[in-house]
Amino acid sequence: MRFRHRDGSTVHLAYCTNVHPAETLDGVLAQLRDHCEPVRRRLGRDRIGIGLWLAKDAVQVLVTDPSALRGLRTELDRRGLEVVTLNGFPYEGFGAERVKYRVYKPDWADPERLEHTTALARVLAALLPDDVTEGSISTLPLAWRTAYDERRAETARTFLRTLADRLDALEELTGRSIRVGLEPEPGCTVETTGDAIAPLTAIARDRIGVCVDTCHLATSFEDPHTALDALARARVPVVKAQLSVALHAEHPHLPDVREALAAFDEPRFLHQTRTSPTLDSVRVGGTPVAAGLRGTDDLGEALKGESLPDGSPWRAHFHVPLHAAPAAPLTSTLPVLKDALNRLVGGPQPLTRHLEVETYTWQALPPRLRPRGRAQLADGIAAELTLARDLLTDLGLKELP
């Protein structure tokens, strides 16, 4: 979906296909048929954007077999789908029964991450619509925090500089400009947008910036305007933004709130949980994870005993559907998304032109909230895109055919 910003530029809205992951190219093609095209039809559009997630094996086929890449581009066109952004965070296995910490491997100190991201950029340059010259890729925020030291940090910086050089060469060859954004996430070396400034300033390449995920932003209790203003002052580009919301519990000390939260504690993904306690609310130390924050690596850990202070609200890294906040006593961080979107695209010029709805946890919701079958999932994704569209038009953007 495309929108005209008041400055005359085009803002793209997509949804991320990691909600129905596939490891092979055949699986990706099936996604387009079984999921993406039905979403487009529900929206009544001739064309919608998708943010493709391409696993390692699918990418290798696409970069080694030109006919396979042409075939994917043809299939996208035939089904009324366009791609301007890729989700390059998960490397493989995102559809496994248990993902948890595996999603952070390989990290940016491993050469596999550099080669995979380079391959994604080559693929994206070939998939961009004929009238689009700029693409974006979101990627791991360097590494999970416990497996990172200065030696690995320097290796990661070297690999990111190499990536920037390769992206420069790719533009010279194809005329397509591809940028990569580190996606701050709780528990990682780059947990907040503020954490991204120092390493990206050290790299000093316009090709490498930040992907702002509004669920992660909210989980870390970042104020959107403060965060985005700091990035602007540091001249760190917002390469793309992922529109998502976190799980919010206002009174986590209450038994009924803990019971409601427990329904979201599931075995597949990590649901990092954070609180920003006031001085008089700290009943236990917790684990310091960022300035002013206490947190746990997973929701279940937070719910056990007194591992996390519960005198202030909790937020959990659980991407709940944009249009359907959990029932009381829980809610979502949709207000944070709205504030962030206002700052991202509501001003005289957009801070980014690539927006992607990313709710990959539909099948990880409590059983009674999960979609039953493809049709209900398509209905839900279409409803999320409709909400995002309405937020954009409320900010003065004009939807394009």
Side-chain angles (χ1 to χ4, degrees):
M1 299 169 75
R2 300 186 183 193
F3 298 81
R4 182 73 67 208
H5 191 272
R6 69 187 67 179
D7 73 344
S9 63
T10 299
V11 173
H12 295 265
L13 173 65
Y15 89 88
C16 187
T17 63
N18 62 357
V19 63
H20 16 252
E23 299 290 318
T24 66
L25 180 56
D26 285 344
V28 171
L29 296 173
Q31 284 178 354
L32 306 185
R33 179 194 67 226
D34 297 337
H35 299 289
C36 302
E37 186 175 10
V39 170
R40 178 184 65 78
R41 292 187 182 279
R42 280 161 171 76
L43 292 167
R45 304 283 306 179
D46 292 333
R47 171 182 59 186
I48 66 166
I50 58 171
L52 274 179
W53 174 62
L54 298 171
K56 174 195 67 172
D57 290 345
V59 172
Q60 285 306 305
V61 172
L62 291 169
V63 294
T64 57
D65 184 351
S67 66
L69 186 54
R70 289 193 300 270
L72 175 57
R73 174 64 186 273
T74 298
E75 193 70 1
L76 289 165
D77 292 341
R78 185 168 77 89
R79 298 194 182 279
L81 307 168
E82 66 178 14
V83 175
V84 302
T85 189
L86 300 179
N87 187 329
F89 195 137
Y91 180 67
E92 62 182 342
F94 201 61
E97 290 185 4
R98 188 174 180 86
V99 179
K100 298 291 184 180
Y101 295 95
R102 291 173 52 191
V103 75
Y104 306 105
K105 292 292 185 178
D107 64 32
W108 270 103
D110 294 320
E112 293 92 341
R113 178 63 64 171
L114 170 62
E115 298 308 321
H116 179 65
T117 309
T118 301
L120 286 173
R122 291 171 56 193
V123 169
L124 180 57
L127 294 182
L128 288 177
D130 292 340
D131 60 345
V132 174
T133 59
E134 296 182 356
S136 62
I137 301 171
S138 49
T139 191
L140 179 80
L142 297 182
W144 185 255
R145 70 184 187 280
T146 57
Y148 207 63
D149 55 24
E150 183 50 39
R151 180 185 62 83
R152 291 182 67 80
E154 180 54 38
T155 301
R157 289 191 290 268
T158 298
F159 285 159
L160 285 167
R161 292 187 189 103
T162 300
L163 175 66
D165 291 341
R166 292 178 178 181
L167 296 177
D168 287 342
L170 183 65
E171 183 175 14
E172 290 184 10
L173 180 66
T174 66
R176 306 293 178 88
S177 174
I178 308 298
R179 296 190 299 168
V180 172
L182 304 183
E183 182 185 331
E185 176 168 314
C188 292
T189 301
V190 175
E191 167 147 344
T192 67
T193 55
D195 293 337
I197 291 174
L200 289 177
T201 301
I203 294 166
R205 301 295 181 91
D206 290 339
R207 296 281 183 190
I208 315 296
V210 166
C211 167
V212 174
D213 184 298
T214 57
C215 170
H216 304 172
L217 191 81
T219 301
S220 294
F221 287 86
E222 290 195 80
D223 173 71
H225 293 274
T226 302
L228 293 169
D229 286 348
L231 291 176
R233 286 194 301 272
R235 297 187 178 182
V236 172
V238 180
V239 171
K240 66 185 278 190
Q242 290 175 327
L243 308 184
S244 54
V245 295
L247 191 63
H248 180 94
E250 186 68 18
H251 302 293
H253 65 284
L254 297 177
D256 64 328
V257 175
R258 285 179 173 258
E259 182 180 356
L261 283 170
F264 287 85
D265 179 27
E266 55 83 38
R268 185 171 174 190
F269 299 111
L270 275 187
H271 301 296
Q272 302 93 313
T273 304
R274 300 289 183 263
T275 187
S276 183
T278 58
L279 290 177
D280 60 356
S281 71
V282 179
R283 303 179 185 178
V284 294
T287 301
V289 292
L293 292 179
R294 293 292 182 272
T296 59
D297 284 356
D298 215 345
L299 179 56
E301 182 185 349
L303 291 169
K304 291 178 182 176
E306 295 185 341
S307 59
L308 194 63
D310 60 7
S312 294
W314 287 2
R315 290 176 178 172
H317 172 220
F318 196 118
H319 291 224
V320 295
L322 303 188
H323 67 292
L330 304 178
T331 187
S332 78
T333 59
L334 184 61
V336 177
L337 184 156
K338 291 179 177 179
D339 284 348
L341 198 58
N342 181 48
R343 183 69 179 87
L344 286 165
V345 299
Q349 290 88 34
L351 298 185
T352 184
R353 295 183 177 86
H354 291 177
L355 306 174
E356 178 184 66
V357 171
E358 197 215 15
T359 305
Y360 59 84
T361 43
W362 279 95
Q363 299 300 340
L365 290 167
R368 62 185 178 81
L369 301 178
R370 294 175 192 169
R372 291 186 292 274
R374 294 175 184 169
Q376 284 194 4
L377 178 58
D379 289 342
I381 294 171
E384 289 193 292
L385 286 168
T386 297
L387 183 146
R389 179 196 64 196
D390 291 346
L391 292 177
L392 292 174
T393 56
D394 287 347
L395 289 172
L397 281 72
K398 180 181 179 182
E399 187 176 7
L400 298 175

